[in-house]
Amino acid sequence: MEYLFLKRKKSTLRSERQKDLLFKAAERHWDEQFAGQGIVGRKVDCYIYKCILYQLEIRQVFLDATLSLKKLSELVDTNQTYLSNVVNKYFGCNLKELLNTYRVEYAKELLRSNKCSLDKVPEKSGFTSRSAFYSAFSKIAGESPKRYFLHEQRDLCAQSITNMYNHCLLYTSPSPRDSTSSRMPSSA
C-alpha cells in the first residue's frame, strides 16, 4: 500500500475525516489484496490492520524512537500476539521491519525536501541511533542516505536545467511564420 502520509497536507491534523478515508482505503485494499486472493482473514484482523495503518499513516507513531510492540498494541487496543500476527501475516514482515520502512520513507521525504541536514535525519525520522538509521536505510533503499541525497540533488539540478533549457527554446525558436517566409521563392 502506498504511503499516504507523504501525500497529505501537514496543516490538517488527525481529523476524523482522515481516519474515515484511511479506513475506507484500507478496507478496499484488504478486499483486493487478501479477500480477493482467497486469504482467509478474520474481521478482527481487518480491524487491527486498519488501526495499525491509522497509527502509522495519520498519527505517524513510527517517529517515536521508543515505539514497541507493547506500546503499539496499547494504541491499537489489542494484545501483542494479535498485533504481531496481523503485522506478520498481512504486512509480510515483522514490526521492526514495518516501522523501519515507514521511517526510511519519511527520511527520504526529509532528504528530498531539504528540510533538515543529513545529521538530523535519523533523529527526526524516529531512529534510535545513526548506525541503525544507516543500516535500515541502506537495506530498504538500496543505497546509503548520503548517496540517495546526492542522487536526489543531482536529479533536481538536472530537472531545473532541462526546464530552463526548454523555457529558453520557447523564446528563441523561430515562429512558424518565420520558417514559412524563408521557404518562399524570391521574386527577383
Side-chain angles (χ1 to χ4, degrees):
M1 183 169 208
E2 198 170 315
Y3 297 97
L4 300 175
F5 72 86
L6 297 176
K7 295 186 175 186
R8 71 180 172 91
K9 294 179 182 174
K10 295 294 181 189
S11 61
T12 57
L13 297 175
R14 306 179 197 124
S15 72
E16 201 58 37
R17 183 172 184 273
Q18 279 184 317
K19 184 177 181 179
D20 291 341
L21 290 172
L22 177 73
F23 270 47
K24 286 176 186 172
E27 184 86 37
R28 279 192 308 273
H29 184 259
W30 178 272
D31 290 341
E32 292 168 7
Q33 191 69 26
F34 306 117
Q37 293 182 358
I39 298 173
V40 179
R42 301 172 304 168
K43 277 282 187 203
V44 72
D45 287 354
C46 181
Y47 181 74
I48 293 169
Y49 176 81
K50 292 188 287 189
C51 289
I52 292 168
L53 285 174
Y54 172 72
Q55 293 296 329
L56 295 172
E57 299 281 347
I58 306 297
R59 302 222 31 235
Q60 296 183 337
V61 296
F62 61 88
L63 296 176
D64 177 2
T66 63
L67 186 65
S68 64
L69 182 63
K70 182 179 180 181
K71 273 187 178 180
L72 187 57
S73 66
E74 288 170 2
L75 290 170
V76 171
D77 198 24
T78 189
N79 69 43
Q80 295 177 41
T81 304
Y82 277 176
L83 182 77
S84 181
N85 287 338
V86 169
V87 169
N88 293 336
K89 185 173 183 178
Y90 301 106
F91 289 94
C93 59
N94 63 42
L95 182 62
K96 181 181 176 183
E97 291 168 335
L98 180 65
L99 294 176
N100 282 345
T101 300
Y102 271 85
R103 289 171 177 156
V104 167
E105 289 301 318
Y106 189 80
K108 285 175 165 182
E109 180 65 19
L110 289 175
L111 291 170
R112 275 192 300 271
S113 67
N114 228 355
K115 289 184 178 177
C116 65
S117 68
L118 189 55
D119 293 342
K120 300 273 187 218
V121 171
E123 179 187 341
K124 294 234 184 232
S125 53
F127 285 94
T128 54
S129 70
R130 193 175 161 110
S131 62
F133 167 66
Y134 272 80
S135 175
F137 194 100
S138 297
K139 180 181 177 184
I140 292 166
E143 60 186 342
S144 72
K146 187 171 185 170
R147 181 164 284 174
Y148 178 84
F149 175 73
L150 293 173
H151 284 149
E152 286 298 314
Q153 294 304 307
R154 186 191 67 217
D155 292 348
L156 186 63
C157 184
Q159 185 180 14
S160 295
I161 290 170
T162 302
N163 289 343
M164 286 182 359
Y165 176 75
N166 290 338
H167 185 73
C168 289
L169 281 179
L170 181 67
Y171 288 105
T172 59
S173 61
S175 69
R177 210 175 331 153
D178 293 340
S179 61
T180 56
S181 64
S182 64
R183 285 187 265 157
M184 294 182 94
S186 62
S187 56

